[in-house]
Amino acid sequence: MYNPQKRSDKKPITTQDGSTTLYSAEFDECYHSTRDGALHESLTKHVIPALTLQANKEHLTILDICFGLGYNTLATLHYIRREALPVKVHILSPEFDEALVRSLATFDYPVEFEDLRPVIEAISRDGHYEDEQFRIDIYLGDARDVLGRWKMEDGGLKMDVVYQDAFSPAKNPLLWTREWFADIRSMCAEDAVLTTYSVAAATRMGLHENGFALYEYQAEETRKSLIASPSAIALDRLNLTPIDMALKMARNPEARSLRDADFV
C-alpha cells in the first residue's frame, strides 16, 4: 500500500557531476555513487556500454534492477534520443518502494531529463509509459518475488540487457547471490549484456558460476565496473579486459559467491 511517509527516511545528496541522488537511511547508502555522479554513473557504467554492445538490434528488452529514482531507465531514453538511435526499447523494472515511485514527479532531476517530464509523470502516476519507441513497466514488490512471478507466468521472457544496480552486496545481499544470478541468467538471451558497478569477488563468482563471461570495463572519469554476458563479447566494441576467472580462483581459493542460505 502506498505510504507517503516512507520518503521521509531519504534525503537529497548532490553528487560530483551536479545531479541529485538520495541517501536511504533504511539501507544506509546512497542510490548512486556520489563520487562518479548519479547521471554520469548511469550513462557510463550502464547505458552507453550496453547500447554500444547491442547496437545491431532493432528492439531491446531491458531489465533494470531496481528502478529506484529511475536514472538508468531515464538515461537510456535520454541517450537514445540524443544519439537519434532507431532502436525500440521495452524496459521492465521491479521496485519495492511505491512511495518513492509516486514522488518522482517532484524529484529534482538534471536538466538533461527535462524533455522526459511526460515520461516521469506517467511513471510516477501509473507505473507505466508507452509511445511508439519506448515502453516502461514498473512492477511494485520485492525484486525476488517479481522475477519469480515472471518465470512462472512468462518463461519465454528474455532480456537483451540487464542493469544490475541494486543497493550494494553488503547492504542488500539477496540481490547478489548465486541463486539470484541463476534467476537472472534464466531470463537472459544468449547474447545478453549485464552491467554492474560491483566488481567484488563475490559478484564475479556468482556470475561466473552461472555461466557468464566477465569483463572489466573502465569508462572515462569513473571507477572500474563489470560487464558480463552468457556469450563472449567482441573486444573491439568497447575498452574491455577479459577476466580470467580460473586464474582469479587459483590466486584466491577462498573466494566464494554469496548464497541465499547465508541470509535466511
Side-chain angles (χ1 to χ4, degrees):
M1 181 179 296
Y2 174 52
N3 178 6
Q5 300 303 318
K6 193 167 184 180
R7 177 73 182 271
S8 65
D9 75 334
K10 303 172 180 66
K11 65 178 181 179
I13 301 290
T14 300
T15 67
Q16 185 66 36
D17 67 357
S19 58
T20 303
T21 190
L22 289 178
Y23 165 79
S24 169
E26 180 178 3
F27 287 94
D28 188 25
E29 196 166 81
C30 289
Y31 280 78
H32 302 88
S33 166
T34 56
R35 171 180 167 183
D36 293 334
L39 177 58
H40 185 69
E41 181 176 48
S42 288
L43 283 170
T44 60
K45 292 184 181 179
H46 297 285
V47 176
I48 293 175
L51 296 187
T52 299
L53 291 171
Q54 297 288 30
N56 62 319
K57 293 191 175 183
E58 297 179 353
H59 183 279
L60 292 175
T61 304
I62 298 176
L63 177 58
D64 185 2
I65 304 291
C66 293
F67 191 75
L69 294 169
Y71 266 89
N72 292 337
T73 290
L74 297 172
T76 299
L77 273 59
H78 164 69
Y79 182 76
I80 289 172
R81 286 184 173 181
R82 188 185 77 186
E83 301 299 316
L85 303 180
V87 63
K88 293 186 177 181
V89 170
H90 181 196
I91 301 177
L92 305 92
S93 185
E95 175 55 48
F96 81 105
D97 191 344
E98 183 178 357
L100 177 61
V101 175
R102 298 291 190 188
S103 72
L104 295 183
T106 60
F107 185 73
D108 184 21
Y109 284 110
V111 66
E112 287 85 350
F113 291 169
E114 187 58 37
D115 67 336
L116 298 175
R117 178 56 52 185
V119 180
I120 296 167
E121 291 176 352
I123 290 172
S124 179
R125 182 182 64 247
D126 306 321
H128 172 79
Y129 174 82
E130 188 168 4
D131 61 27
E132 293 182 354
Q133 188 173 16
F134 305 121
R135 175 179 170 183
I136 302 167
D137 291 303
I138 309 303
Y139 295 83
L140 296 173
D142 180 89
R144 297 290 295 259
D145 294 337
V146 171
L147 262 64
R149 292 200 304 272
W150 286 347
K151 289 176 64 179
M152 292 179 61
E153 296 169 2
D154 191 351
L157 188 65
K158 296 297 180 183
M159 302 297 164
D160 301 294
V161 173
V162 177
Y163 298 145
Q164 172 63 22
D165 198 24
F167 283 111
S168 70
K171 302 296 184 178
N172 195 13
L174 285 173
L175 295 191
W176 299 90
T177 65
R178 180 172 64 179
E179 293 83 1
W180 167 256
F181 287 126
D183 284 344
I184 294 294
R185 175 64 183 90
S186 72
M187 297 179 64
C188 282
E190 285 305 311
D191 61 349
V193 172
L194 180 148
T195 60
T196 183
Y197 65 88
S198 176
V199 296
T203 299
R204 295 196 305 265
M205 290 294 293
L207 289 164
H208 171 72
E209 289 166 358
N210 282 289
F212 285 89
L214 305 181
Y215 302 84
E216 186 178 89
Y217 178 58
Q218 180 74 68
E220 291 185 10
E221 298 181 0
T222 190
R223 289 170 292 177
K224 292 179 181 178
S225 58
L226 189 68
I227 291 178
S229 177
S231 302
I233 296 175
L235 298 181
D236 59 349
R237 301 182 70 180
L238 274 181
N239 182 27
L240 299 177
T241 302
I243 297 176
D244 186 338
M245 287 302 294
L247 180 60
K248 291 282 188 183
M249 291 186 290
R251 290 177 172 174
N252 186 12
E254 295 184 0
R256 66 188 297 272
S257 56
L258 301 178
R259 315 288 171 82
D260 282 2
D262 296 337
F263 308 102
V264 175

